[in-house]
Amino acid sequence: MVIKLTLLYYRNLIKAGDSKKVVLYLIIGLLMVGSFGTQCFALAASGAGISVPVLMYVYNCFFCLLAGVPSAKAVLFGFKDYDTQMSWPVSESAVVASRISIFLIAEELYAFLLLIPAFSAYAYFERPGLQILPIAIILIVTAPVIPSVVGSILGGFVAWLGGKFKGGKAFQYIGLLAVLIASMSFGMLSSRFSQPGTGGTMAESLKSLAARLGPGILFANAAAGSWLDTFLFALLSVAVCLIFMLIFGRSFRRMNSAVTAVATRGKFKQKKDAWKSSGVFGAMFKKELGMLFGSPVYMLNSTFGALMLIIVSAVVAFVPLSKILGVFGAPADALPANEVMTAYMLPYIPLGLGWFAAMNCTTCASISIEGKRLSSLVSLPVKASRILLAKFLVNIFVNGVCVIVCGVLLAVRFKPDTLTAVEIFAVPLLFSWFISALGLRINLWLPKLDWTTEQQAIKQSASAFITVFAGMILAMVPIIPAFLVGVHTATLWAMPVIALISLLLTILIFPNSERKLLKLI
């Protein structure tokens, strides 16, 4: 019954899609495997050996934890068809087991993308024999289990905390942001351990890092060919999954009620001028902001670039560059003075800010997040162009506030010349315009309106994949000629090109907007 329910979920998911989306997912998956495979083969060719699968396991834990925390509520607790599934003539334990299976299968994607290229590179260069094949299969299947369970527990706790107290959304944001920053810090530390010479050989350094993950030392020994450690690692993963499933199944209804609960206020006060009209467009803009900040999953996934922009700008402004590079394993005695590094890196800051701004996109899911409400939205006596403009300007607004704050901070700290100061503000704002238009245009082309969890509309849609990867890749294009013709020349040439592309994308969005929205219903 568990298998039937799990297969039913994925069958409906496939039926809801179309051939174009399946092809796009396959292309994106192949590109990601190729990217990770190139890195793994480069490391293995340099003599990294067993360090390659161990390093990818570390990053697998990082990605599973990072993805598991916001996904827990959407997949395990607050899924849209909860009432329907609980009314089916099947046992509650079967429903619980199927939801956990769906959650773990989704997390298994990271293991496939990271560990298959890692073991392939290790086997090609080190020739460990055929025994590595069954060991690799067991490790790839079981590697995501423990970090995913930890992530789901943290995600459930954060969601419960948000529903327990007044202002619970703030608790959810703070909790998810804390996990995000902690995971990013762990990722930076892992890159330091992966550098040769930071505590013995690279293999020894990574083994030391894996040991800090608890079962990671079992994975490291198993990847080296130990059948005993392979058996122990798989047994531990299965045991953790069964214990989690048992505890989760026994108190599923209570946990679901606690996590999805919303704290109510004991006293209500009418705000002055609460009924004052803000105009049609103002109402639509406030509605879009409310949808963005009313969903922790939507907010954190869609504003990740803005959060990174603030964090990176604060670190660069207040922490000496020598200490920042030291985190990644650069020897302090081999680095030039901070003033020299600052003078060299300062012209590249606008392009770096533009890259982070291109990662921040709320519009790539702004149509999909409407779901079945889209027909009601289109039926309102509001011009379709205003509906789309409100969605478009939300991303401009979020990015613009972050760019201005970070730009002022960096300008005051480094005191750049006039041209660089203008570029610090202009480049990320232009990339914000570009990614806003690109995300909205792609979401109009590839909407996902038949979702059952917000996670599917925000993170598991073709629109989000294409927009994020296209933005990151295109934002890196001006950096290449910067090394050939000079960074200022490359930036000055890139700015009108970005503006022209953004203008063309904007023109493709708003004409005949009503017809475009009606086609989606």
Side-chain angles (χ1 to χ4, degrees):
M1 184 57 67
V2 175
I3 296 175
K4 287 183 178 179
L5 291 174
T6 305
L7 292 177
L8 177 64
Y9 172 84
Y10 283 105
R11 189 186 70 178
N12 293 336
L13 202 62
I14 293 171
K15 284 176 65 178
D18 55 34
S19 57
K20 289 191 298 183
K21 294 181 182 179
V22 173
V23 171
L24 286 171
Y25 280 131
L26 289 175
I27 293 174
I28 292 169
L30 290 174
L31 289 174
M32 293 179 69
V33 169
S35 175
F36 288 124
T38 303
Q39 298 176 37
C40 291
F41 273 83
L43 279 172
S46 65
I50 193 61
S51 303
V52 179
V54 177
L55 177 62
M56 291 300 111
Y57 170 71
V58 171
Y59 283 116
N60 173 73
C61 294
F62 162 64
F63 284 123
C64 286
L65 180 64
L66 194 61
V69 172
S71 303
K73 182 179 179 181
V75 178
L76 296 180
F77 302 108
F79 51 96
K80 195 174 181 181
D81 52 352
Y82 167 79
D83 293 329
T84 303
Q85 290 197 22
M86 297 305 289
S87 65
W88 287 347
V90 296
S91 64
E92 183 177 322
S93 58
V95 175
V96 171
S98 69
R99 299 308 300 187
I100 295 176
S101 300
I102 292 167
F103 180 74
L104 291 177
I105 289 173
E107 297 290 287
E108 193 71 40
L109 174 66
Y110 298 107
F112 289 157
L113 293 176
L114 292 166
L115 293 178
I116 289 179
F119 276 107
S120 300
Y122 170 64
Y124 180 79
F125 286 98
E126 299 299 324
R127 308 292 181 183
L130 289 177
Q131 67 165 357
I132 196 62
L133 181 60
I135 290 177
I137 293 173
I138 294 172
L139 292 179
I140 290 171
V141 171
T142 55
V145 174
I146 296 177
S148 300
V149 169
V150 174
S152 64
I153 293 172
L154 288 174
F157 176 74
V158 169
W160 170 81
L161 197 64
K164 190 71 175 175
F165 304 101
K166 295 177 182 178
K169 292 292 183 183
F171 282 99
Q172 292 189 37
Y173 296 142
I174 294 170
L176 292 174
L177 187 58
V179 174
L180 174 67
I181 294 173
S183 301
M184 288 168 53
S185 302
F186 172 77
M188 289 191 295
L189 287 175
S190 67
S191 65
R192 180 179 182 180
F193 276 90
S194 66
Q195 296 290 333
T198 58
T201 64
M202 182 186 288
E204 292 172 350
S205 299
L206 284 172
K207 197 170 182 179
S208 172
L209 178 63
R212 300 186 179 196
L213 300 176
I217 190 65
L218 294 175
F219 182 94
N221 293 332
S226 172
W227 276 103
L228 176 61
D229 289 285
T230 303
F231 173 75
L232 292 176
F233 182 82
L235 182 63
L236 180 61
S237 300
V238 173
V240 169
C241 182
L242 291 177
I243 292 172
F244 174 68
M245 195 176 293
L246 180 63
I247 296 174
F248 184 62
R250 286 193 171 184
S251 53
F252 175 63
R253 290 179 183 270
R254 285 179 296 166
M255 292 173 67
N256 186 79
S257 300
V259 168
T260 56
V262 178
T264 56
R265 297 184 180 183
K267 297 180 180 179
F268 174 77
K269 281 189 175 182
Q270 175 87 26
K271 290 184 179 180
K272 188 178 180 180
D273 297 331
W275 300 102
K276 186 177 180 180
S277 174
S278 58
V280 174
F281 178 76
M284 297 303 300
F285 186 76
K286 289 180 181 178
K287 175 250 182 190
E288 294 298 327
L289 282 178
M291 289 183 65
L292 175 63
F293 293 104
S295 168
V297 176
Y298 187 22
M299 193 276 289
L300 285 178
N301 283 280
S302 299
T303 61
F304 178 77
L307 293 173
M308 289 294 297
L309 188 64
I310 295 172
I311 294 171
V312 172
S313 299
V315 170
V316 171
F318 295 109
V319 180
L321 288 176
S322 58
K323 291 187 177 180
I324 297 174
L325 296 175
V327 172
F328 296 94
D333 53 354
L335 295 174
N338 283 315
E339 293 77 10
V340 177
M341 289 190 292
T342 300
Y344 177 77
M345 294 296 297
L346 186 59
Y348 292 92
I349 287 180
L351 294 178
L353 296 180
W355 187 73
F356 284 115
M359 292 172 60
N360 188 82
C361 186
T362 62
T363 56
C364 64
S366 59
I367 302 294
S368 299
I369 199 67
E370 297 288 350
K372 296 178 180 178
R373 300 189 300 265
L374 184 62
S375 57
S376 301
L377 181 65
V378 175
S379 65
L380 292 174
V382 180
K383 291 183 178 180
S385 58
R386 291 191 177 184
I387 296 175
L388 295 180
L389 184 61
K391 296 180 180 296
F392 176 78
L393 289 181
V394 164
N395 194 63
I396 299 287
F397 172 75
V398 173
N399 259 0
V401 171
C402 295
V403 168
I404 292 172
V405 171
C406 296
V408 170
L409 181 65
L410 293 172
V412 171
R413 171 66 177 81
F414 295 112
K415 298 179 176 59
D417 57 84
T418 304
L419 179 59
T420 304
V422 172
E423 291 174 349
I424 285 176
F425 292 94
V427 173
L429 287 175
L430 284 173
F431 272 111
S432 301
W433 179 17
F434 163 74
I435 201 66
S436 302
L438 179 67
L440 188 55
R441 184 66 193 92
I442 292 178
N443 201 208
L444 284 169
W445 176 44
L446 294 171
K448 187 177 181 63
L449 302 174
D450 50 358
W451 48 269
T452 55
T453 65
E454 289 183 348
Q455 194 79 9
Q456 296 173 4
I458 298 164
K459 294 185 66 177
Q460 300 172 8
S461 64
S463 174
F465 271 111
I466 295 173
T467 305
V468 171
F469 282 102
M472 291 173 62
I473 293 171
L474 293 176
M476 293 178 67
V477 171
I479 298 177
I480 299 173
F483 293 101
L484 302 175
V485 299
V487 62
H488 283 304
T489 304
T491 305
L492 290 175
W493 276 100
M495 288 168 61
V497 173
I498 299 167
L500 179 60
I501 296 174
S502 303
L503 180 61
L504 292 175
L505 287 171
T506 306
I507 292 173
L508 290 174
I509 293 173
F510 291 102
N512 301 318
S513 50
E514 185 171 357
R515 180 174 58 84
K516 293 172 184 175
L517 287 179
L518 288 173
K519 283 176 62 178
L520 304 179
I521 301 175

